[in-house]
Amino acid sequence: MIPPQPIDEPRDGIDVGKRLVRQGGGTGLSLSERIAEKLQRLAWRTPLHGLRLKGRHPLKLIAVADDPFFGDVARGQAMLRGELMFRGEAVPIERLGLDRPKFSAAFAEHLHSFAWLRDLSSVAPRVTAVPIAETLMLQWLAAHGDRVSEPAWAAHLTGRRMLFWIAHAPLILSSTDLVYRSRVLNTIARAARHLDGEAGKAPAGIRAITAWAGVVAAGLVVPGGDPRRGFGEHGLARALAMGMFEDGGIVGRSPAEQLDAVMTLTALREIYAARRLDVPEAQGLALTRMVAALLGVCHGEGGLACWQGSGPVSGERIADVVAATGVRTRPLRHAGDWGYQRLAAGRTVLIVDSAPPPIARAAREGCASTLAFELSDGGQRIVVNCGGAGASSLTLSPELRRALRTTAAHSTLVLADANSTAIHADGSLGKGVSVVDMHRQESDAISRIEVAHDGYARRLGFQHRRVLTLSADGRDVQGEDMLIPTGRRGRKGDTSFVARFHLAPGIEIAPTPDGQAAFLRIPDGPVWQFRCKGATLGVEESLWIDEGGMPVATFQLVLSGTTPAGGHDFSWRFHRAR
């Protein structure tokens, strides 16, 4: 288990070094773009705008869009049984108690987002789904319709709610009760006005993107919304510039948030389509870059790797989402800013975390995972991270969910039983890795990356450097870990280290008698051999958070030893037998 921790693609020709510094996000807008956005905002704030908001536009929606995505079947079926369920937490719909909630914050976000409308519509015909949706809508209106409060009216949740209300309007507006219908429509209009003032306050990243998407959506379907749409499009362009890197990765560095952003922009595009309007160029370009970055952190079978609190997502679901976007692109191999490197040859895919963790305000479930990697052979994951800190079942203990964020829960090196980046008691990320040096080279024979971080330099006096190479046929993955004295702090005696390689569930391990190697038998697949030099090999229990958010027992290869003050290096190799 995790020990207790302190709180075939063409070569891209990349051969230059990259020094990554921990930072907050994208480069933002140019001066001219900021001026244009400011003028648009001022125009939208004029007294004329106030008169528009108070005008007597007909209570209706101009258009209803299609939801391009299928919902969660298990959650939808739970609603048919009378329960609202999210990440293992279930509450009877008739007894939600929204005025005095007793459910978790994560459950509350799911409830207030109205994302459950997608789940419900995916498992039931309208005649069955409408009474359930209206029951929940009435409860929400009674508790939050007339009073703005957190978290129900948080900008990102209001924006997400707007998207789902528009896509699934038939479920909440089919009633013949005119008073109810009028109240729902007035609440939609009120949410639009709320977003006008609050979207700009949402934190950079997925929250700001979702909030501004809600402004644009409201401008597209609420009568008299053309000025709002223009205002929202400028705001969304800014949110995308500040919330994603140039290579298309989200600033929180979470693949789950990346998937969320891709789905959000795709859902918004459907609303444009319902109005027979073209999507602004900035949104289209952002979506294309986002999809490429998303595919870059997917394994051979197409499933999502586990980084920065994300859990695994099946290749089928990723394929469905990408198909809905209409974007056709290759996986991004060198995400220099987002910080993930992808090496692929034959059936083998190697994904490496080559950047500092996100800054605290950009990450909700940030992890101390620098220099960790995941490895897969075709449709089978081999080396994984435990994953799932932000996707695990809410029934798991807070201690376990916290442990999933530690360095020990990732396939990398731990020095002196410490995290490479501190995780504070309140869950925020603290000091540690601030600079990462990365070099990537490719030739006809191998793909090679060399990456180093300073997370242990101040506290322990060592830099961790890792070199990874993948052969052209994909049969050999070689690694070398080095602990290099920094000279910033003299240190006496030896310092312990442990390098962990968490294995995917179902892999059988057969250690060799010399204690330096092990055979790994993949279910219905080939045998891989692991061998090391310069460290002691052991096998320990581990766990992996599956797509349902539940822990699955597995094992980990553990290389342990000590380094003197002068430093130490050890090597290892994964080789696929013919």
Side-chain angles (χ1 to χ4, degrees), residues 426-437:
D426 64 358
S428 63
L429 294 175
K431 294 181 179 179
V433 179
S434 60
V435 176
V436 173
D437 289 308

Side-chain angles (χ1 to χ4, degrees), residues 160-438:
R160 193 179 300 276
R161 188 160 65 238
M162 183 68 70
L163 293 172
F164 282 111
W165 277 347
I166 293 169
H168 298 278
L171 297 188
I172 58 174
L173 284 169
S174 292
S175 174
T176 58
D177 186 338
L178 297 181
V179 173
Y180 164 80
R181 285 172 54 84
S182 178
R183 191 174 184 191
V184 171
L185 289 166
N186 275 311
T187 301
I188 293 174
R190 184 182 186 188
R193 296 192 295 272
H194 177 75
L195 281 172
D196 292 342
E198 297 297 315
K201 302 175 185 178
I206 187 61
R207 292 192 171 197
I209 291 170
T210 305
W212 282 108
V215 176
V216 177
L220 286 165
V221 304
V222 175
D226 285 345
R228 174 181 285 123
R229 173 164 63 92
F231 167 68
E233 288 172 346
H234 278 276
L236 181 55
R238 179 178 177 84
L240 291 169
M242 300 299 295
M244 59 182 283
F245 296 107
E246 287 295 323
D247 52 31
I250 200 85
V251 294
R253 302 197 60 229
S254 163
E257 290 186 353
Q258 186 78 10
L259 179 61
D260 188 2
V262 166
M263 295 174 70
T264 297
L265 290 187
T266 305
L268 181 59
R269 188 192 62 187
E270 292 298 313
I271 304 177
Y272 277 98
R275 287 288 314 276
R276 294 179 172 83
L277 295 172
D278 292 332
V279 175
E281 183 180 10
Q283 293 181 35
L285 292 174
L287 183 58
T288 298
R289 294 201 304 270
M290 283 182 170
V291 171
L294 177 68
L295 293 175
V297 289
C298 290
H299 283 288
E301 92 290 2
L304 203 62
C306 302
W307 300 105
Q308 295 300 325
S310 302
V313 178
S314 71
E316 292 82 0
R317 184 182 173 201
I318 296 296
D320 287 344
V321 170
V322 173
T325 68
V327 174
R328 300 184 64 183
T329 185
R330 293 178 180 271
L332 181 64
R333 302 180 67 186
H334 172 60
D337 294 319
W338 197 30
Y340 296 107
Q341 295 295 314
R342 176 188 180 88
L343 305 180
R347 304 182 319 204
T348 304
V349 173
L350 183 69
I351 305 169
V352 187
D353 182 353
S354 59
I359 59 172
R361 68 174 180 271
R364 305 178 65 185
E365 300 288 349
C367 299
S369 60
T370 312
L371 273 59
F373 73 93
E374 290 203 358
L375 172 68
S376 62
D377 179 1
Q380 174 64 51
R381 301 180 193 224
I382 302 175
V383 178
V384 296
N385 300 308
C386 296
S392 58
S393 172
L394 297 170
T395 62
L396 302 182
S397 69
E399 293 76 18
L400 176 56
R401 296 204 301 262
R402 179 182 178 85
L404 293 170
R405 301 174 58 196
T406 64
T407 306
H410 297 79
S411 292
T412 187
L413 178 142
V414 178
L415 189 61
D417 204 30
N419 290 315
S420 58
T421 295
I423 303 174
H424 292 154
D426 64 358
S428 63
L429 294 175
K431 294 181 179 179
V433 179
S434 60
V435 176
V436 173
D437 289 308
M438 195 282 296

Side-chain angles (χ1 to χ4, degrees), residues 43-66:
W44 182 235
R45 297 302 189 193
T46 60
L48 180 59
H49 162 60
L51 292 176
R52 287 195 187 101
L53 292 183
K54 298 175 183 178
R56 300 183 178 275
H57 294 294
L59 289 177
K60 65 178 183 179
L61 299 182
I62 296 175
V64 174
D66 292 328

Side-chain angles (χ1 to χ4, degrees), residues 12 14-21 247 333-343 352-356 370-371 435-442 448-453 463-468:
D12 49 20
I14 299 164
D15 57 4
V16 296
K18 179 71 176 181
R19 187 171 177 87
L20 294 172
V21 180
D247 52 31
R333 302 180 67 186
H334 172 60
D337 294 319
W338 197 30
Y340 296 107
Q341 295 295 314
R342 176 188 180 88
L343 305 180
V352 187
D353 182 353
S354 59
T370 312
L371 273 59
V435 176
V436 173
D437 289 308
M438 195 282 296
H439 296 265
R440 176 169 178 160
Q441 294 177 319
E442 304 223 17
R448 179 183 187 273
I449 66 169
E450 181 176 348
V451 59
H453 75 71
Q463 179 193 66
H464 176 207
R465 184 175 296 272
R466 171 168 275 187
V467 179
L468 298 167

